Amino acid sequence: MTDAVSLKPKLGRFGAWLPTRSITPELTARIEALGYATIWIGGSPDADLAWVDPALAKTDSVQLATGIVNIWTAPARAVAESFQRIESAHPGRFLLGLGVGHREHTQEYAKPCDALVDYLDELDAAMVPTSRRVLAALGPRMLRLSAGRGAGAHPYLTTPEHTAKARELVGSSVFLAPEHKVVLTTDRDEARAIGRQYLEHYLSLSNYVNNFLRMGFTEDDVRRPGSDRLVDAVVAYGTPDEIARRLREHLDAGADHVAVQVLDGWPEDKLLQALRELAGPLLS
């Protein structure tokens, strides 16, 4: 199903990506006050999406997006009901990000693309518009599906070079919103240590490893805990201006929006300080 009028979501150029299943209304308001138009929530949120309504009620215009709802753990009918509830109360302020998760974490994992198509069919039947949903996509098949069955793609743990190839594959009308990790330090060794700590987990997941290999990284690069070359490619570090230049490479490569994940960004005040420092060069 394709909407009669397909419009890219308006999320601003940069958003904040938080690796947590929920977000408090207070934190939502504080991030909105920094100037970020969108907040992405990771961690495979539950189908009821109960945290969305109070967060949107506490704020004026910020949008919330899921990065991503896992189709194996969140039934389509329940997700559709949650979407309609949120959309009715807060029109245009919620973007549904969906994905198939990881083979290593899901016993039922089989024919993921077919399973996702069936899931999208259920969302279509429940009148969840394609213009308000994006798909987690890394490889060509999922990217093509995101172009045909949603507003576009939310690639995770990629590079501007991947963004350029994704844009070439899906065309100019499809929404493209990659995630990129950042560490706000000018100490290269510290940044690599923090980045490698986060990256090592993903190097045990076949979909990310295979995507890195497609992108031109070597077997040595993707061997845990990851080479310096790999860490430097997927984690931006340095001054706020230097980080902003790296993130804008995604925009130059064809991205519409970049979801910025601050590593080593907890407790909450530490996250907000990093987002505040980045807001100047990113949002001005």
Side-chain angles (χ1 to χ4, degrees), residues 159-169 176 249-250 252-255:
T159 65
E161 291 76 19
H162 179 275
T163 296
K165 292 179 180 178
R167 174 56 72 199
E168 183 178 356
L169 189 149
L176 194 55
E249 290 180 21
H250 283 284
D252 294 340

Side-chain angles (χ1 to χ4, degrees), residues 12-235:
R13 293 183 302 169
F14 296 98
W17 197 103
L18 307 186
T20 176
R21 292 189 178 203
S22 62
I23 183 170
T24 65
E26 292 73 23
L27 180 57
T28 308
R30 294 178 74 181
I31 294 175
E32 180 184 54
L34 295 176
Y36 292 90
T38 304
I39 304 171
W40 295 80
I41 304 299
S44 298
D46 295 332
D48 62 8
L49 299 170
W51 46 272
V52 176
D53 308 78
L56 291 180
K58 182 79 172 182
T59 51
D60 296 322
S61 61
V62 71
Q63 296 191 58
L64 294 181
T66 52
I68 46 93
V69 166
N70 190 317
I71 68 167
W72 306 105
T73 60
R77 180 174 296 182
V79 169
E81 290 173 356
S82 297
F83 177 88
Q84 299 295 2
R85 180 195 75 234
I86 297 165
E87 182 66 15
S88 177
H90 307 282
R93 293 185 61 196
F94 177 70
L95 182 68
L96 179 61
L98 304 161
V100 298
H102 310 294
R103 183 181 304 277
E104 293 80 1
H105 293 169
T106 307
Q107 288 185 341
E108 302 89 344
Y109 200 98
K111 297 184 178 180
C113 199
D114 292 344
L116 182 53
V117 168
D118 291 342
Y119 195 99
L120 294 171
D121 288 344
E122 289 192 62
L123 294 184
D124 288 347
M127 304 301 291
V128 176
T130 58
S131 60
R132 297 306 300 173
R133 67 194 195 207
V134 295
L135 306 184
L138 295 175
R141 190 176 184 190
M142 283 297 185
L143 284 166
R144 292 190 184 98
L145 184 62
S146 75
R149 299 296 303 272
H154 175 48
Y156 185 87
L157 196 58
T158 63
T159 65
E161 291 76 19
H162 179 275
T163 296
K165 292 179 180 178
R167 174 56 72 199
E168 183 178 356
L169 189 149
V170 301
S172 61
S173 64
V174 174
F175 182 72
L176 194 55
E179 173 269 355
H180 203 108
K181 294 170 172 53
V182 308
V183 178
L184 200 58
T185 179
T186 57
D187 184 324
R188 182 177 64 182
D189 292 338
E190 178 187 14
R192 285 176 172 171
I194 293 170
R196 188 168 279 113
Q197 177 183 353
Y198 281 82
L199 181 60
E200 185 174 7
H201 164 68
Y202 296 99
L203 295 180
S204 67
L205 302 175
S206 57
N207 59 335
Y208 290 112
V209 170
N210 291 337
N211 192 55
F212 288 142
L213 294 174
R214 278 195 302 266
M215 291 161 58
F217 292 100
T218 67
E219 294 283 354
D220 287 339
D221 288 323
V222 301
R223 186 174 295 112
R224 297 172 71 183
S227 70
D228 287 346
R229 176 188 177 217
L230 180 62
V231 174
D232 289 351
V234 298
V235 179

